[in-house]
Amino acid sequence: MVDFTSALYLGLRHPSDSLGHWEALTLGRPAALREPPDADAVAADLAELQGCEAGALLPSTLHLFWDLFAILGQGNAVILRDSGAYPIARWGTDRARAMGARVRTFPHHDAVALERLIDDAARQGIKPIVVADGYCPRCGEVAPVGAYARLAQRSGGYLVLDDTQALGILGEHPDQANPYGSGGGGSLRWHRTFGGHIITCSSLAKGFGVPVAVLAGERGLIDRFRRESETRVHCSPPSVAVVRAARCALHANRSHGDALRSRLLHLVTRLRAALIGAGLRPSGQLPFPVQTFLSANRRVAQLYEQLLSAGIHGLLTTTCKALTAGLTLVVTARHGLSEIERAARVIARAAAGCLDRNTGHAGIGHTMCRTRI
């Protein structure tokens, strides 16, 4: 079986023998009383990696967003949510709304629409809290982070960026030859956009392979979060093992992260070229590890079935821009070039067969399109 469904983009797995020895998996205390060993140091390193002043570790982004929007939504503020924001961030804003916060939604990646909402809030003396993902895998596009940040700053508000997808993949100084950039510091490094008005909220479970989240931003805000967070009082903190894995991931990123990203870029580029040559259209321009392809003849479900029958696992997904389904393959640095080429061959044969059936011409892959949709 060839699996294109794992989001461990850099292929980091953290086996138990790589994490060292610990006396206890958990201290039995909430983080509000005492952080797990090394948690503060790891959070500080993650904040620095992203270009932020300070950080705090949480068990997940659900814990993080549960508290963050309840804190930021207090008083004379309005939460302005990109319609494409990831569900967990939306759940956090919905909780804030249930507590009395004002929440409004603007069209996906539409800075002009956001500006209108912010100007309206400014006329009423209301502080905006802008919420968006740094990178959207559904449409394959980066958010206009610079524009969002400027709009939030000029009105004395915040930009809250869910950077789960970008952290570990995108970094500073991207160019045509290396669109990921270097360092893996995420969207702020990639856009060269920084400031105390920006807050990043990221799970390490994608690029770094660790089920833990980090909140990063201006030190005063992080200190306030530590004081007011309810999950840091009522929920278990990240385990000692998870903190160790995060530390190992940071070490791997420093030592050979750019080499892993280079290999990943090569594999994704080969896949894109092969499937574009087969007549499929990628949903975005960036060769990100999550690649979604659309077909003009709308036979994506049949392509998916042909992959499954060949022992290749992908995903049927929907995109932000298209009503039809897309075929998504998630590439990691652990994939071999032979696996990329095998998947491309199967898809190319199936796509050719679908085209032959739709146009009424016989072809090699004709019988492949009789698979149930």
Side-chain angles (χ1 to χ4, degrees):
M1 182 190 77
V2 180
D3 186 7
F4 287 100
T5 66
S6 171
L8 299 179
Y9 300 145
L10 296 183
L12 301 179
R13 293 182 177 177
H14 314 296
S16 58
D17 59 5
S18 72
L19 302 182
H21 174 75
W22 56 83
E23 295 294 332
L25 191 61
T26 180
L27 303 180
R29 301 182 185 89
L33 286 180
R34 183 180 172 185
E35 296 281 359
D38 292 335
D40 283 340
V42 169
D45 287 347
L46 284 163
E48 182 180 4
L49 176 65
Q50 297 175 81
C52 298
E53 280 188 357
L57 293 187
L58 283 298
S60 71
T61 52
L62 179 58
H63 293 79
L64 193 164
F65 287 128
W66 180 265
D67 281 337
L68 180 64
F69 292 120
I71 294 169
L72 295 181
Q74 295 173 7
N76 200 25
V78 59
I79 297 172
L80 303 176
R81 186 175 67 189
D82 187 305
S83 64
Y86 195 66
I88 296 177
R90 297 204 304 268
W91 298 344
T93 62
D94 288 344
R95 189 224 177 189
R97 175 158 45 197
M99 298 173 67
R102 288 166 284 202
V103 179
R104 299 187 66 182
T105 301
F106 63 94
H108 191 37
H109 290 178
D110 191 339
V112 175
L114 174 62
E115 184 173 22
R116 288 195 293 267
L117 289 176
I118 287 181
D119 288 345
D120 182 57
R123 285 191 290 270
Q124 302 176 58
I126 300 173
K127 180 173 67 175
I129 311 297
V130 181
V131 183
D133 293 358
Y135 176 83
C136 175
R138 292 185 65 208
C139 66
E141 301 291 349
V142 295
V145 171
Y148 284 3
R150 287 190 295 272
L151 290 170
Q153 182 181 34
R154 82 181 191 188
S155 300
Y158 287 107
L159 168 61
V160 177
L161 206 62
D162 183 340
D163 216 30
T164 296
Q165 295 291 336
L167 184 60
I169 303 301
L170 303 186
E172 55 192 359
H173 309 307
D175 55 30
Q176 187 172 1
N178 181 18
Y180 293 168
S182 62
S187 293
L188 303 191
R189 296 285 187 187
W190 198 84
H191 290 276
R192 300 182 187 181
T193 300
F194 307 97
H197 59 294
I198 304 175
I199 305 165
T200 64
C201 311
S202 311
S203 170
L204 277 64
K206 300 285 194 296
F208 290 145
V210 186
V212 71
V214 60
L215 172 70
E218 184 266 331
R219 189 173 305 279
L221 179 93
I222 301 302
D223 289 344
R224 179 188 175 193
F225 181 89
R226 289 175 179 270
R227 291 191 306 270
E228 299 182 22
S229 164
E230 294 181 341
T231 61
R232 283 172 50 83
V233 174
H234 301 295
C235 298
S236 296
S239 71
V240 174
V242 164
V243 176
R244 289 281 182 88
R247 186 175 66 181
C248 289
L250 286 168
H251 175 74
N253 186 59
R254 287 190 294 267
S255 64
H256 56 280
D258 282 339
L260 290 173
R261 283 180 282 273
S262 178
R263 171 177 172 77
L264 180 61
L265 176 63
H266 175 67
L267 294 171
V268 175
T269 302
R270 288 291 293 267
L271 179 69
R272 283 174 63 92
L275 268 60
I276 290 172
L280 276 69
R281 176 171 56 86
S283 66
Q285 297 300 312
L286 186 67
F288 198 78
V290 181
Q291 286 293 303
T292 298
F293 297 91
L294 307 175
S295 175
N297 57 28
R298 300 188 179 184
R299 298 289 181 174
V300 170
Q302 291 175 319
L303 303 184
Y304 170 75
E305 294 286 353
Q306 288 302 314
L307 278 178
L308 283 181
S309 66
I312 301 171
H313 286 215
L315 298 165
L316 270 181
T317 59
T318 57
T319 72
C320 298
K321 299 177 179 179
L323 297 177
T324 56
L327 176 65
T328 297
L329 301 179
V330 186
V331 182
T332 78
R334 285 186 176 267
H335 281 118
L337 186 57
S338 62
E339 294 174 311
I340 298 294
E341 292 176 344
R342 179 184 168 196
R345 285 196 301 270
V346 171
I347 293 171
R349 288 198 298 267
C354 289
L355 179 61
D356 291 334
R357 182 178 181 182
N358 286 337
T359 58
H361 297 299
I364 295 175
H366 179 73
T367 57
M368 293 182 180
C369 289
R370 295 177 183 173
T371 306
R372 178 180 57 85
I373 296 178

